[in-house]
Amino acid sequence: MALLLRAIPANLAITLGMARAALDCFTEQANKRKPVTLPYPTIGATASAQVVAGKALAMINVAAATIEDAADQIDARTAEGLDFTPPEESGISLAIACTANLCEDAISLLQKTIGSSTVSLSNPIQRFVRDARVLTSHGVIRIDPSAEENGRRLLGLPLFATIGDAVPDRRASTDSSRDKEPIRT
């Protein structure tokens, strides 16, 4: 399962990079563009843009910490030759799906604050918006299925087969419970 989990944070690091780049573009554009309806010299001079910049930074920092934590857990387990239990794998997958959505939300917030000029193909923010949406629409990253799986486990309901079920079970026991302890590989 660690092998499957390893690909997800690597892909999300790209979304994190897009969110960081969108914040850089936002900062540059907000300090140059004049608001259409308010008497400020630039969008960046408005309190609302300042709040958005701060919120986006916080969202990006939380996403980075979550991705780094997942990567650290995967690296540590791999180095020790340990596998993940299905509940651990599903918990990490949910945290990562939330992270992807957090990056997408930060990018969208920045785009809406700058305004409709960001939909122009010459504006890099439009590409970050589209690419982040593609990633969060992918079946492995979509938050609702992952949340449902975790919710079912928390509520004591039977679990569905997941992507981790494609990994051959290397456990010594013949018990088919999905909540087994991790084993050495």
Side-chain angles (χ1 to χ4, degrees):
M1 282 192 208
L3 182 59
L4 293 172
L5 282 174
R6 211 170 67 187
I8 298 170
N11 288 328
L12 288 185
I14 295 167
T15 307
L16 176 63
M18 288 189 288
R20 287 176 171 157
L23 182 57
D24 289 344
C25 290
F26 171 85
T27 302
E28 180 183 324
Q29 292 176 33
N31 285 327
K32 290 180 181 176
R33 295 185 190 274
K34 183 170 176 34
V36 174
T37 58
L38 297 172
Y40 292 97
T42 64
I43 292 172
T46 67
S48 59
Q50 295 158 18
V51 168
V52 163
K55 284 182 178 180
L57 178 61
M59 295 163 83
I60 291 166
N61 288 341
V62 168
T66 304
I67 292 170
E68 290 168 10
D69 180 59
D72 287 347
Q73 289 182 55
I74 294 164
D75 287 348
R77 290 286 177 98
T78 302
E80 292 180 26
L82 294 174
D83 210 346
F84 288 87
T85 64
E88 291 169 331
E89 179 270 336
S90 128
I92 290 172
S93 294
L94 178 58
I96 289 171
C98 285
T99 297
N101 281 271
L102 197 56
C103 288
E104 180 188 11
D105 291 348
I107 294 167
S108 292
L109 187 62
L110 296 167
Q111 180 194 34
K112 288 178 182 178
T113 302
I114 289 293
S116 60
S117 66
T118 60
V119 299
S120 168
L121 291 179
S122 64
N123 193 316
I125 292 176
Q126 59 77 28
R127 179 69 187 261
F128 300 136
V129 170
R130 289 185 299 120
D131 289 352
R133 174 62 52 88
V134 168
L135 183 77
T136 60
S137 298
H138 189 281
V140 175
I141 306 297
R142 282 191 50 241
I143 196 167
D144 288 346
S146 188
E148 179 181 357
E149 179 181 346
N150 280 271
R152 291 183 68 80
R153 183 174 39 79
L154 289 169
L155 295 169
L157 298 170
L159 300 177
F160 300 123
T162 64
I163 192 167
D165 292 321
V167 177
D169 192 356
R170 296 173 294 182
R171 301 181 199 313
S173 167
T174 58
D175 180 11
S176 64
S177 169
R178 291 198 60 197
D179 292 335
K180 296 177 190 171
E181 291 298 314
I183 60 151
R184 294 204 173 272
T185 56

